[in-house]
Amino acid sequence: MLLIRCPYCGERSEIEFANGGEAHIARPADPMSQTDEEWAQYLYMRDNPKGLIAERWRHAHGCNRFFNALRDTRTDRFVMTYEMGRPRPEIDAATLAEAAR
Amino acid sequence: MSQAFRVPGRGRVDSARTVTFTFDGRRFQGQAGDTLASALLANGHHLMGRSFKYHRARGVVSAGSDEPNALVAVGSGPALQTPNLRATQVEVYEGLTAVSQNRFPCLQFDLGAVNTLAAPLLPAGFYYKTFMWPRSFWDRVYEPVIRRAAGLGVAPTAPDPDHYAFQYAHCDVLVAGAGPAGLAAALAAGRSGAQVILADETAEVGGSLLSDRTSRIDGRPAALWVADILAELAALPNVRVLTRCTAFNYGPHNMVALNQRLTEHLADPAPDMPRERLWQVRAKEVVLAAGALERPLVFEGNDRPGVMLASAAQTYLNRYGVACGKRAVIVTADDSAYRVALDLHAAGVTVAAIADLRPAPDSALMRAAQGAGLTVLPGTTIQRAHGSTRVHSVELARLLPDGSVGKGQHWRADLVLMSGGYTPSVHLFSQSRGKLAFDERLGVYIPGESAERERSAGACRGVYALADVLADGAAAGVAAAGAAGFAADAPSWAVDAADAPGRGGYAGALPRRGKGLLAMAFVDFQNDVTAKDVKLAVREGFRSIEHIKRYTTTGMATDQGKMSNVNALGIAADALGRPVEKVGLTTFRPPFTPVTFGAFASHARGDLFDPDRRTPIDPWARAQGAVFEDVSLWRRARYFPRGSEDMEAAVRRECLAVRGGVGIFDASTLGKIEVVGPDAATFMNRMYVNAWTKLGVGKCRYGLMCRENGFVYDDGVVGRIAQDRFHVTTTTGGAPGVLAMMEDYLQTEWPDLDVWLTSTTEEWAVIALQGPSARAVLAPLVDGLDISAEALPHMSLVEGTIGGVPMRLFRVSFTGELGFEINVPARQGRAVWEAIWDAGQAAGITPYGTETMHVLRAEKGYIIVGQETDGTATPDDAGCGWAVSKVKADFVGKRSLVLPAMQAPDRRQLVGLLTEAPWEVLEEGAQLVARPDEAIPMHVLGHVTSSYFSATLGRSIALAMVSGGRARVGETLHVPMEGRTIAVTVTKPVFYDVEGARLNV
């Protein structure tokens, strides 16, 4: 069971959380101005990286806050979690390698 | 002949306490402290099971959890018998009942053993090859036969009467295994003040030291040193020692699962004791001290009872005081077997010969054996072991310089000990995703790079010499405590008189003379996989060890290849002509040893399986004899039968009562969300398809919510309590999802909106009062509030009190009748309900349940999300296009609704259906087609979503989703059923009071 650091509550077990899919996908400000293709891209197209993913988590059985996390999909190692609204942090190569290990 | 093989003065069992137990109905005696295996061996009884595939007679091979053969069922009765327990781990107590498995009619004579004669016909992949054709035979012939033959033990048939406990725990250092390395590690970490959990799968800590009569630590016999360390650990308040507790799974982020067996070894456990406890331990640091397992040798007849591991015979002798035979032949590739020979010799067991596979073994131990007068045969292999239910002789043969095997010589023996060297137990390390590394010197895999915060110590990483093991354990304990933030000093001990461990070992099948076409040399005892099977798999083209494993099933039994993996790897590498380290090892899977379902289920059984959600009215409905149904986690009253009424009769009566007078319904399970804040209306506008800005305070509106993909997600009436406050209701099952979706948008897309969301589902009891007499019943109760049609028209709300209890009164209807939904604080729900109930007696007030609610709403064509819709219906499909705002610039789902596919004319749309025969009630889920005589596969136009008999209309009605349905009104469609087809007429989905006159009164 993963150990996940909620930015508001600290480290808690995975069963307290709900995964919310890929992070940093902003809803278009004016959806009606989107072409069908652009809208489909927003709605359905998601990355499935082998490696680092930025994803949303909700502390469903805790503070109920959404936050973002950087996790390596190969190892389930969390590089960091951070508050909603912050841009995706840059991660140095050494940290990436550690996450992949 | 009771315990004829017990060696007086040897072993740690309690010689003063004799216990009586039965095995296969026969009474045996053992001593307290025995395992079932040691007690049976003390009585000279080796035969303990039959093998899986060939039903060969099998004796015990090991003395620990790696035992593949001696699987027994313990206990009796349909609920209490536990199958597939290892006799080497079952502790005997007075009255223990155990039976052998996989035999018919009895263990001594098993009819299934004819499979051995058919062995040439049962090669690897037999099932895949044989049962391919004819196809029709699979269901009727092959599968039933295979199913009857498959499996070892028999599962209990009655519910388990025991209870099981569960515990989460956190610690600084978890030590798995309490042999010399684990004890040293636990002590080092424990002295530093770190919170330590030390777990061992056996009944007593000490591991190999309990079988060691030679070594001295700080001048003390090894077993006494163990007692000293245990005493110090027990005195440390920060150390918890768990015995009979197996670390069986190493999960991500250092969560290790332990299974602790609490009562199984007790004759008379306290009735409130849990049988087992499952621990989920989140450890900051882990020390793996799992030890090493001796490998068997692969030769013909290596599975005969009486053939066992050398280390096992040593353990039975030194730990349990049992000689496993009278005349032993030892075959070894490792020095450690010489110590076993010396121990047996000293205990009076004749050691006829020691065959050493190595051409020129030379060690102090070997010379000691020779000095004791034992016959050592270097460069000698074992060609075959003879016997059926017990070995009686072996054929030993010289290994010639060219690699061939010379002429054999027979040796009488009732005990054959094999030692193929040691395999480090890397199971937990492998489960933790650590990378294994091949050790050239030892010829085995040992832990390489760690993935988790753990380190291995002692024999499980190939460190065998006792002095090194203790130092390694202590260092690991210091390192783990240090990493967890505790400064520790490594304790040190002086080890003397210990054996110099061998560096020998053998992996693969022993060489043999002749082709041995009928020879059966077992690699995996539990799955009956022979050396030939592995070679055949390679010949048939399997190259990957993972494929060879699956094809032959080697290493796939419940022992997860503890004994077999390295030998299978050796044989495969040989057949493939590749070095062992290039072939690789298969993945070790959890659990390390089997865990009972009871332990996993733990407390989550029966009433504790799921939360049981009940409304404040629930006790009243139960007292009235209501029949309940589950709606998500809620228990809802489905109908209220009177006398001998069945559901159909009760529902007809309840429906007519509501339409003709007044009914009362518990709607408390409705999801409720309070949406509050200056931007509440803006938020509602974005979340729902409806427009909210102009909804006045005190007014209600039917709200429909889509997901971003444009499909209906939820619905419910929304009331505006104040300019900045909405009382939102959702479906019973959808409430958590709706709140999560609202929170998602609010927190992640529109954090600028000043809105607060609060789940109020369980704060309000909701009493629906429905029917033409509803107002007359309610009006006298609401403390002077004007609820007339003028003051409180349909779809409006008012706050007030009812009998002094604060109330939000909604004038809404899910029945099509004049209706009120009375929201009061949950704790007053029952009292208010009963007040209304009493007041309604004169009007013939009738309680109704969810079934009647469904019929009444279907008569009116009101949809139920999840029944009419299925996640692919748009608001317009569901007949709710009128609810969608045309003027709002945006709402969740709006952009998707204008996609071309969402507006196609042939989308499935909500319609009504009427059968020709009024009594004919269609089946929900039935398909609709255009022509009754259409060829199969028919072109399906839609399906029935709701179908009831309407007492009000005196006929059946149905709702359906039909392709282009609204344009088909008046058409006849057909419902193909088993053996007949029912014609239906498509109608509009509202069957009763189409103009809504009954609502606006």
Side-chain angles (χ1 to χ4, degrees):
Chain A
M1 197 187 307
L2 304 179
L3 192 61
I4 301 173
R5 180 181 293 279
C6 168
Y8 310 98
C9 306
E11 287 191 327
R12 294 287 193 279
S13 272
E14 182 187 344
I15 48 168
E16 295 187 13
F17 296 87
N19 185 288
E22 193 179 341
H24 303 295
I25 295 176
R27 189 172 187 269
D30 179 12
M32 297 310 284
S33 67
Q34 299 270 301
T35 65
D36 289 354
E37 287 69 28
E38 288 167 338
W39 185 246
Q41 190 72 28
Y42 158 71
L43 260 190
Y44 297 114
M45 295 304 167
R46 295 292 180 269
D47 276 350
N48 185 19
K50 181 181 179 180
L52 208 63
I53 187 172
E55 62 188 358
R56 311 176 331 141
W57 286 86
R58 181 169 63 98
H59 195 183
H61 299 288
C63 64
N64 207 15
R65 301 282 292 272
F66 278 82
F67 60 90
N68 289 333
L70 288 178
R71 177 177 62 94
D72 192 304
T73 56
R74 292 165 293 188
T75 61
D76 274 349
R77 273 188 221 284
F78 285 88
V79 172
M80 64 181 301
T81 55
Y82 51 101
E83 295 86 348
M84 275 293 156
R86 280 180 55 191
R88 176 173 175 154
E90 290 298 321
I91 302 301
D92 60 69
T95 310
L96 274 180
E98 172 61 21
R101 189 175 63 81
Chain B
M1 195 195 76
S2 182
Q3 303 197 51
F5 288 80
R6 190 71 72 179
V7 182
R10 283 285 181 106
R12 305 173 60 76
V13 295
D14 186 347
S15 57
R17 280 174 57 213
T18 301
V19 296
T20 306
F21 64 96
T22 66
F23 180 64
D24 279 347
R26 204 177 129 196
R27 286 162 66 86
F28 288 94
Q29 287 192 335
Q31 303 305 129
D34 262 327
T35 62
L36 179 60
S38 70
L40 287 171
L41 290 172
N43 289 281
H45 193 97
H46 274 256
L47 179 61
M48 296 189 199
R50 286 277 171 174
S51 75
F52 181 60
K53 186 167 158 188
Y54 302 118
H55 290 255
R56 283 169 66 104
R58 289 283 167 83
V60 69
V61 187
S62 83
S65 65
D66 51 337
E67 175 58 38
N69 283 343
L71 301 184
V72 298
V74 174
S76 57
L80 287 166
Q81 193 174 71
T82 308
N84 296 343
L85 295 177
R86 290 152 299 282
T88 50
Q89 288 187 298
V90 174
E91 297 172 54
V92 295
Y93 50 81
E94 185 63 36
L96 172 87
T97 308
V99 293
S100 59
Q101 302 182 156
N102 207 35
R103 80 288 191 275
F104 178 84
C106 70
L107 191 54
Q108 198 72 26
F109 175 73
D110 178 5
L111 286 175
V114 297
N115 281 5
T116 300
L117 300 177
L121 306 175
L122 298 170
F126 170 67
Y127 291 94
Y128 310 125
K129 290 165 180 165
T130 309
F131 300 117
M132 298 291 289
W133 52 266
R135 173 65 185 85
S136 62
F137 265 45
W138 179 256
D139 296 332
R140 282 178 290 124
V141 183
Y142 298 143
E143 189 177 331
V145 170
I146 293 168
R147 282 202 185 279
R148 199 166 342 115
L152 286 165
V154 179
T157 51
D160 189 341
D162 288 317
H163 76 280
Y164 298 79
F166 180 87
Q167 186 157 350
Y168 281 111
H170 295 261
C171 67
D172 297 309
V173 179
L174 170 70
V175 182
L183 286 170
L187 190 69
R191 282 179 179 170
S192 76
Q195 294 291 328
V196 176
I197 294 177
L198 172 64
D200 193 275
E201 63 173 346
T202 66
E204 198 179 2
V205 303
S208 61
L209 296 179
L210 301 178
S211 308
D212 185 343
R213 283 170 56 86
T214 312
S215 304
R216 294 282 183 282
I217 305 172
D218 284 350
R220 304 257 287 156
L224 293 180
W225 178 85
V226 170
D228 295 344
I229 301 296
L230 183 60
E232 184 176 347
L233 290 173
L236 288 172
N238 52 317
V239 177
R240 194 198 307 252
V241 180
L242 302 171
T243 53
R244 301 184 180 92
C245 185
T246 309
F248 67 89
N249 180 49
Y250 199 132
H253 299 182
N254 261 16
M255 183 165 254
V256 180
L258 316 176
N259 179 229
Q260 186 183 16
R261 295 168 297 281
L262 298 165
T263 62
E264 242 161 43
H265 59 290
L266 302 174
D268 195 18
D272 54 348
M273 280 264 281
R275 181 169 171 231
E276 296 177 16
R277 177 178 290 123
L278 190 74
W279 294 77
Q280 288 275 32
V281 180
R282 183 81 74 179
K284 283 190 185 140
E285 299 291 329
V286 172
V287 176
L288 297 174
L293 298 170
E294 196 169 25
R295 281 196 300 283
L297 296 169
V298 181
F299 57 88
E300 182 179 355
N302 64 343
D303 64 325
R304 297 301 186 193
V307 180
M308 60 198 298
L309 296 172
S311 60
Q314 184 180 36
T315 291
Y316 286 119
L317 179 64
N318 293 340
R319 183 165 173 182
Y320 299 102
V322 174
C324 292
K326 291 200 161 103
R327 184 181 168 85
V329 164
I330 299 176
V331 187
T332 185
D334 187 273
D335 284 344
S336 61
Y338 289 98
R339 173 56 64 193
V340 180
L342 287 166
D343 282 358
L344 289 171
H345 179 68
V349 176
T350 301
V351 178
I354 305 168
D356 198 318
L357 293 158
R358 296 168 294 183
D362 183 34
S363 67
L365 258 179
M366 191 206 76
R367 286 190 296 276
Q370 284 172 324
L374 303 184
T375 304
V376 176
L377 308 170
T380 302
T381 185
I382 181 167
Q383 168 79 3
R384 187 179 175 188
H386 296 278
S388 60
T389 58
R390 180 73 188 262
V391 67
H392 57 67
S393 64
V394 296
E395 182 188 339
L396 302 180
R398 291 282 297 176
L399 282 165
L400 301 176
D402 65 352
S404 65
V405 174
K407 193 170 165 351
Q409 193 181 5
H410 273 268
W411 293 77
R412 262 190 322 109
D414 64 352
L415 180 64
V416 178
L417 302 183
M418 45 190 177
S419 177
Y422 280 84
T423 308
S425 270
V426 294
H427 304 73
L428 287 173
F429 174 79
S430 182
Q431 288 175 17
S432 79
R433 294 191 309 104
K435 286 196 184 71
L436 295 170
F438 190 74
D439 185 307
E440 301 262 359
R441 187 177 58 90
L442 297 170
V444 291
Y445 281 93
I446 59 171
E449 198 189 344
S450 292
E452 293 283 348
R453 294 173 70 96
E454 55 75 37
R455 74 270 310 134
S456 294
C460 71
R461 70 179 197 100
V463 175
Y464 295 141
L466 183 54
D468 298 343
V469 169
L470 292 177
D472 201 35
V478 168
F486 294 84
D489 294 317
S492 68
W493 298 277
V495 175
D496 51 306
D499 291 332
R503 292 192 179 80
Y506 197 93
L510 296 186
R512 58 169 292 122
R513 189 181 64 253
K515 282 195 170 158
L517 290 175
L518 291 174
M520 298 184 93
F522 286 90
V523 180
D524 185 320
F525 292 95
Q526 201 169 88
N527 267 355
D528 263 357
V529 180
T530 65
K532 265 189 306 198
D533 292 328
V534 178
K535 289 177 194 161
L536 178 68
V538 173
R539 273 212 308 282
E540 294 188 353
F542 292 93
R543 291 291 175 271
S544 153
I545 190 71
E546 292 285 357
H547 291 157
I548 292 169
K549 163 179 158 175
R550 281 157 183 76
Y551 190 56
T552 62
T553 73
T554 187
M556 286 171 66
T558 62
D559 61 351
Q560 278 287 297
K562 290 187 183 64
M563 279 191 187
S564 62
N565 275 0
V566 172
N567 280 332
L569 173 62
I571 296 166
D574 191 43
L576 288 164
R578 295 215 300 264
V580 164
E581 63 271 29
K582 295 280 182 240
V583 177
L585 216 51
T586 55
T587 309
F588 292 97
R589 299 189 190 283
F592 177 70
T593 48
V595 179
T596 59
F597 280 113
F600 286 120
S602 176
H603 300 296
R605 298 172 60 182
D607 288 345
L608 297 181
F609 182 68
D610 255 345
D612 190 13
R613 301 185 80 180
R614 298 187 178 202
T615 74
I617 320 299
D618 186 278
W620 186 92
R622 284 177 200 277
Q624 293 285 317
V627 175
F628 281 76
E629 69 170 338
D630 292 352
V631 180
S632 63
L633 294 176
W634 288 101
R635 309 284 170 265
R636 299 196 74 178
R638 192 173 187 192
Y639 58 98
F640 292 80
R642 275 190 196 157
S644 59
E645 275 181 343
D646 60 6
M647 183 170 86
E648 203 181 311
V651 169
R652 286 184 192 206
R653 175 180 50 73
E654 290 172 13
C655 285
L656 293 173
V658 175
R659 295 261 184 252
V662 60
I664 186 167
F665 174 72
D666 181 6
S668 303
T669 65
L670 276 180
K672 296 172 253 339
I673 300 167
E674 195 90 339
V675 178
V676 185
D679 298 320
T682 305
F683 179 72
M684 290 295 291
N685 275 335
R686 295 186 191 177
M687 290 307 303
Y688 280 82
V689 304
N690 320 68
W692 300 97
T693 313
K694 289 184 185 158
L695 182 71
V697 171
K699 296 292 174 194
C700 305
R701 183 164 289 170
Y702 171 76
L704 194 64
M705 176 184 265
C706 287
R707 296 172 77 100
E708 200 68 271
N709 60 14
F711 296 128
V712 172
Y713 183 58
D714 201 80
D715 68 350
V717 169
V718 176
R720 192 162 198 173
I721 304 294
Q723 205 56 34
D724 63 348
R725 181 178 293 264
F726 290 86
H727 178 124
V728 175
T729 67
T730 74
T731 58
T732 294
V738 171
L739 182 62
M741 181 167 149
M742 286 182 168
E743 285 284 358
D744 191 342
Y745 278 93
L746 185 59
Q747 290 184 36
T748 71
E749 298 293 351
W750 310 314
D752 52 307
L753 293 186
D754 192 356
V755 177
W756 294 86
L757 307 172
T758 308
S759 168
T760 53
T761 300
E762 302 209 355
E763 310 307 316
W764 296 108
V766 184
I767 302 162
L769 196 63
Q770 302 278 317
S773 310
R775 187 183 288 122
V777 171
L778 187 61
L781 302 173
V782 292
D783 304 340
L785 199 64
D786 183 359
I787 60 169
S788 65
E790 298 71 35
L792 192 65
H794 183 52
M795 295 306 270
S796 59
L797 71 90
V798 63
E799 289 184 282
T801 59
I802 178 166
V805 175
M807 163 184 71
R808 283 181 183 172
L809 180 62
F810 286 66
R811 168 120 188 248
V812 288
S813 173
F814 200 43
T815 59
E817 300 298 329
L818 166 67
F820 300 90
E821 286 185 2
I822 302 132
N823 290 254
V824 291
R827 63 186 174 281
Q828 271 110 21
R830 172 85 184 265
V832 172
W833 174 282
E834 288 188 23
I836 298 170
W837 173 250
D838 290 342
Q841 288 308 307
I845 189 169
T846 301
Y848 66 96
T850 50
E851 195 65 25
T852 292
M853 177 266 281
H854 278 137
V855 178
L856 296 174
R857 65 91 202 173
E859 289 170 350
K860 288 290 295 179
Y862 297 150
I863 63 162
I864 287 186
V865 170
Q867 182 155 343
E868 271 61 54
T869 69
D870 59 1
T872 65
T874 66
D876 185 60
D877 295 343
C880 300
W882 55 267
V884 181
S885 163
K886 308 284 186 297
V887 296
K888 287 197 294 185
D890 187 20
F891 58 81
V892 173
K894 181 176 171 77
R895 177 62 185 85
S896 292
L897 288 174
V898 298
L899 291 169
M902 304 294 265
Q903 308 197 325
D906 62 345
R907 292 191 62 82
R908 291 193 177 186
Q909 296 166 336
L910 183 73
V911 294
L913 299 177
L914 290 175
T915 53
E916 227 159 76
W919 45 264
E920 177 108 63
V921 181
L922 297 171
E923 221 165 281
E924 287 177 359
Q927 304 293 303
L928 292 158
V929 298
R931 298 198 332 265
D933 54 351
E934 220 178 300
I936 294 171
M938 299 176 170
H939 178 66
V940 173
L941 295 174
H943 66 278
V944 178
T945 58
S946 295
S947 177
Y948 309 96
F949 187 85
S950 162
T952 310
L953 303 169
R955 60 154 303 128
S956 68
I957 56 167
L959 297 174
M961 295 295 284
V962 175
S963 177
R966 281 197 287 273
R968 293 182 189 271
V969 169
E971 271 183 36
T972 299
L973 295 178
H974 300 272
V975 180
M977 298 298 290
E978 190 96 47
R980 70 199 182 105
T981 300
I982 306 162
V984 293
T985 306
V986 179
T987 68
K988 289 187 172 175
V990 185
F991 300 98
Y992 183 67
D993 187 26
V994 178
E995 55 288 346
R998 301 179 68 85
L999 281 171
N1000 299 307
V1001 290

